[in-house]
Amino acid sequence: MTYPIGIFDSGIGGTSIWQEITSLLPIENTIYLSDSKNAPYGEKSQEKIIEFSIKNTELLLEKGAKIIVVACNTATTNSIDILRSKYDVPFIGIEPAIKPAALKTATKSIGILATKGTLSSALFSSTSEKFASDIKVVEQVGKGLVELIESGKLYSEEMTELLFSYLKPMIKENIDYLVLGCTHYPYLIPQIKKIVGQNVTVIDSGQAVAKQTNAILEKLNLKNFTKKFGTHQFYINTKKDVLQSILSDVKLNYSVNELDF
Ligand code: DGL
């Protein structure tokens, strides 16, 4: 099926998931919505997050999406049940990878960096309870990180200071795994690794989401079997410069469009 995979995030961070999806499924077409106008979702009420998720879903459906990837931990943990009950299209969500970290930790202490919206969600509490009740989970809200990434300040003094203030206390708690629970954060991995050092393994859920997307497309007979590489359309409801710069190394066939949604 040549219909596209629809992907949305509160902003440009979900492109980290888009990269994993296109590398596993190069033949598929994609449409990506960057709701940067409303970022960060992580500081909004659950009602607002649900409203934004519905708006994004409806636009992706209008554009012919055959499956929707909610490339945002905050939107997934706060709205995926409602989306699944409201629409027939299959949804893939993303959640912090607590389970693998909890299974592998030797120090019995793991860190999780995510938004307030994700850490305070019922879905996160139940996953944490289920898989990590016998270990220490050091939770940290990454307040301000999404805003800096959205405004193009990925490598800035403010970013370094915030990362130090969030990660140093975790190291004191002897974590050996750090779970990145926000799709913007993979862009911070080089800086995070410098701070946490070699004894801490940094993990995110990007590859797992790509594999799950593939599995569901296969199961529902929705895969694209054409012989051409896919084409990719990005829509953003603010100025497109920062999104364009984050995609500047991408060699695929894509276009970036500003659209008010
Ligand atoms: N990329 C979103 C996530 O994974 C960022 C949330 C936000 O906008 O605060 O949670």
Side-chain angles (χ1 to χ4, degrees):
M1 240 197 214
T2 56
Y3 290 113
I5 296 174
I7 303 170
F8 77 81
D9 179 34
S10 63
I12 62 177
T15 54
S16 63
I17 306 303
W18 173 84
Q19 306 224 28
E20 297 289 355
I21 291 173
T22 50
S23 103
L24 186 67
L25 299 165
I27 306 300
E28 296 291 338
N29 300 311
T30 68
I31 296 191
Y32 181 100
L33 301 184
S34 177
D35 192 12
S36 299
K37 187 171 79 181
N38 295 307
Y41 283 8
E43 298 290 315
K44 306 269 187 328
S45 66
Q46 186 173 22
E47 288 70 33
K48 271 281 163 205
I49 298 168
I50 292 169
E51 185 188 313
F52 296 144
S53 299
I54 288 176
K55 164 188 69 96
N56 297 333
T57 298
E58 298 212 335
L59 181 53
L60 286 172
L61 291 176
E62 257 171 51
K63 292 188 176 295
K66 61 183 174 183
I67 186 168
I68 294 182
V69 179
V70 182
C72 176
N73 292 262
T74 314
T76 299
T77 51
N78 284 278
S79 74
I80 197 138
D81 290 347
I82 289 173
L83 297 178
R84 286 192 172 126
S85 67
K86 206 169 154 58
Y87 302 97
D88 288 336
V89 70
F91 285 91
I92 307 291
I94 181 163
E95 279 186 73
I98 303 181
K99 186 182 170 186
L103 286 173
K104 288 179 190 154
T105 177
T107 61
K108 300 286 170 215
S109 174
I110 65 170
I112 158 125
L113 188 63
T115 68
K116 185 171 145 204
T118 293
L119 294 175
S120 61
S121 68
L123 188 55
F124 175 77
S125 305
S126 69
T127 309
S128 192
E129 177 75 16
K130 197 159 150 198
F131 299 112
S133 56
D134 56 343
I135 59 164
K136 193 194 285 178
V137 180
V138 187
E139 293 178 16
Q140 175 64 56
V141 173
K143 193 167 166 50
L145 301 178
V146 166
E147 289 93 319
L148 286 176
I149 296 169
E150 288 289 319
S151 56
K153 295 181 185 151
L154 189 53
Y155 298 99
S156 60
E157 223 167 279
E158 291 151 279
M159 183 64 89
T160 312
E161 275 170 21
L162 275 186
L163 287 175
F164 261 100
S165 72
Y166 295 155
L167 299 173
K168 281 288 174 195
M170 291 191 181
I171 299 166
K172 283 209 184 98
E173 298 282 350
N174 202 24
I175 64 160
D176 60 353
Y177 277 84
L178 172 63
V179 178
L180 301 183
C182 170
T183 57
H184 282 68
Y185 301 167
Y187 288 110
L188 299 170
I189 287 175
Q191 300 181 69
I192 289 175
K193 282 192 169 164
K194 269 193 201 154
I195 299 171
V196 298
Q198 288 176 346
N199 295 335
V200 177
T201 306
V202 181
I203 55 175
D204 67 84
S205 320
Q207 283 185 2
V209 169
K211 281 189 192 152
Q212 178 67 0
T213 307
N214 181 37
I216 298 297
L217 288 177
E218 233 158 46
K219 186 172 159 204
L220 301 176
N221 266 327
L222 290 174
K223 280 189 97 164
N224 187 2
F225 287 108
T226 51
K227 294 213 164 58
K228 288 185 297 186
F229 285 112
T231 56
H232 310 282
Q233 288 171 315
F234 290 84
Y235 293 93
I236 183 161
N237 51 17
T238 57
K239 288 265 166 266
K240 62 183 180 182
D241 322 29
V242 182
L243 174 56
Q244 258 172 337
S245 79
I246 218 154
L247 295 172
S248 59
D249 289 338
V250 170
K251 300 281 183 289
L252 307 178
N253 182 1
Y254 71 90
S255 64
V256 181
N257 313 282
E258 289 175 8
L259 178 74
D260 192 20
F261 62 88

